[in-house]
Amino acid sequence: METNKIYCIDNIAGMSQLGNNTVQLILTSPPYADMRKYQDFKGIHPDKYVDWFLPIGKEIFRILNDGGSFVLNINDKVVNGFRHTYVFSLVLELEKLGFNLWERFFWNKPNPMPGMGGKRFRDATEYIFWFSKGKPYVDMKSVKVPSITHSKNKIGRPEFEMSRSGSNFTKRETSERFPDMVVPLNVLTIKLGNSYKTAGNHPAIFPEQIPEFFIKSATKKGDLVLDPFSGSGTTCLVAKKLERQYIGFDITEEYVQNSNRRLSE
Ligand SMILES: C[S@@+](CC[C@H](N)C(=O)[O-])C[C@H]1O[C@@H](n2cnc3c(N)ncnc32)[C@H](O)[C@@H]1O
C-alpha cells in the first residue's frame, strides 16, 4: 500500500493490506459511540461499542511496530442520567489484546460546548490514552515546554511543580537548578478550533495541536503514522508538516476528497 495517501476504505479492509509491525504510530479519534452522525456512519450504541471496536484494535496491534504507539482520543457520554463506562471497558479489553497503557492524558478544553442547563457539570475534558506495543519510543525533548518557575502568578503552574521550599530541587528534571524547558503535564489545554473553513464540512475535527504533540513525541522524521478514522485528515496533515509518512482511512468519499484538498494546499 502506498504511503502519503488517504484512502476511502473501511479501516479493517485498509489495515488488512498492511504487514505486521509496519506502523510506528496509530493516532485516531474514532466516533464516540452514537454522539454524532457522520455521512456514512450513523453511530453505535455504547453497549455495543467494545464489540464493535475490538476487531479494529486487533488489526491495530498487529500492524504496530514493536515500540510503536497507539494514541486513542475518545470520550464517553451520559446515558439515562449516568456516565456510560464503555470507554473504561474498552481500555481493559485493549490491554487483553496485548497493548500496554503507557500514559493517559486529559484534553482540557477551555472553550467547551454549551452545558445542559444546570443539570450536569459542563463537560470540558476528553480522554487521550497512549498505548504501546512493548516499551514505547518516546522523544520527551520534542514536547518540552517553557518553565514558568519564575512567574509571579504561581497559581495553576501548568508546566512545573515547585518543591515546598520553592527551590524545586527535589522535583527538578535536569541537573540544572532552574531549567528553561521542562517536561509537560499529562493535561493538554487546547482550545476547540474552528477549522471548518479549511477542513470542509466535517462535524468532528480535532485541533492540529493534538496530533502535533503525539507525532512529535512518539515518532521520528520519516516514520509512518496512520489514522484509521481520518475524517477531515488532520492527523495526516500534521504528519506531512512534521515530515513523517502517513496513511489515512475514512469511509466517506466527501471527507477523503476534502482531506486530499487540505493536504495539497
Ligand atoms: C471523529 S471522526 C474523525 C475526525 C478527525 N480526527 C478530524 O480531525 O477530522 C471519525 C471518522 O470515522 C469515520 N469512520 C467511521 N467508521 C469507519 C470505518 N469503519 N472505517 C473508516 N472510517 C470510519 C467517519 O466517517 C468519521 O469521519
Side-chain angles (χ1 to χ4, degrees):
M1 173 170 263
E2 266 183 66
T3 60
N4 303 332
K5 277 194 168 174
I6 299 190
Y7 294 85
C8 184
I9 190 169
D10 174 87
N11 50 31
I12 294 193
M15 287 189 283
S16 73
Q17 295 178 39
L18 292 166
N20 297 350
N21 310 310
T22 49
V23 185
Q24 180 59 24
L25 171 65
I26 296 172
L27 189 159
T28 202
S29 180
Y32 300 171
D34 50 9
M35 289 233 291
R36 282 209 176 85
K37 290 192 173 33
Y38 299 90
Q39 207 163 296
D40 299 301
F41 182 83
K42 303 303 174 209
I44 180 97
H45 191 277
D47 289 346
K48 299 196 171 130
Y49 196 83
V50 175
D51 286 344
W52 171 76
F53 198 92
L54 278 185
I56 300 168
K58 270 187 196 156
E59 275 300 88
I60 290 176
F61 191 78
R62 181 185 67 76
I63 64 176
L64 206 57
N65 284 339
D66 286 325
S69 294
F70 167 40
V71 173
L72 176 66
N73 166 218
I74 194 165
N75 214 2
D76 45 31
K77 62 176 288 196
V78 174
V79 180
N80 297 330
F82 296 95
R83 283 218 169 253
H84 199 287
T85 52
Y86 71 90
V87 169
F88 303 103
S89 306
L90 179 63
V91 170
L92 296 175
E93 291 301 319
L94 288 173
E95 236 188 343
K96 287 183 200 160
L97 293 183
F99 288 106
N100 299 318
L101 180 59
W102 187 70
E103 186 53 280
R104 83 282 180 271
F105 291 77
F106 288 94
W107 168 15
N108 165 35
K109 297 179 277 191
N111 58 339
M113 297 295 185
M116 296 173 74
K119 290 190 185 133
R120 300 208 57 103
F121 299 105
R122 274 179 80 188
D123 198 3
T125 56
E126 292 195 15
Y127 312 105
I128 302 179
F129 296 101
W130 180 333
F131 296 97
S132 62
K133 184 165 165 181
K135 193 168 171 246
Y137 164 82
V138 183
D139 176 1
M140 197 63 90
K141 232 172 149 187
S142 67
V143 286
K144 279 196 172 181
V145 289
S147 159
I148 54 165
T149 310
H150 298 293
S151 126
K152 275 189 189 151
N153 175 14
K154 299 276 195 290
I155 299 167
R157 297 181 305 261
E159 275 91 29
F160 198 46
E161 276 293 317
M162 297 255 287
S163 67
R164 241 196 292 173
S165 69
S167 75
N168 93 0
F169 244 104
T170 52
K171 298 198 175 173
R172 72 186 192 270
E173 291 125 3
T174 75
S175 54
E176 290 169 65
R177 187 164 176 190
F178 296 109
D180 292 338
M181 300 296 282
V182 296
V183 168
L185 299 185
N186 56 8
V187 177
L188 302 178
T189 299
I190 299 171
K191 276 189 180 170
L192 280 172
N194 183 354
S195 349
Y196 284 77
K197 275 190 201 134
T198 51
N201 219 6
H202 194 281
I205 301 157
F206 60 17
E208 289 184 24
Q209 292 98 318
I210 301 272
E212 184 185 341
F213 183 91
F214 295 100
I215 291 173
K216 280 183 174 170
S217 54
T219 66
K220 299 184 188 119
K221 277 190 184 166
D223 280 348
L224 179 57
V225 177
L226 165 73
D227 188 340
F229 295 94
S230 66
S232 66
T234 316
T235 303
C236 296
L237 186 75
V238 177
K240 184 181 178 189
K241 283 186 191 168
L242 295 174
E243 297 173 51
R244 272 64 168 175
Q245 298 186 71
Y246 59 84
I247 294 177
F249 300 132
D250 203 285
I251 40 171
T252 296
E253 186 63 53
E254 191 187 321
Y255 301 161
V256 172
Q257 277 173 12
N258 280 336
S259 307
N260 285 325
R261 181 187 43 74
R262 254 182 122 187
L263 280 156
S264 63
E265 271 164 11

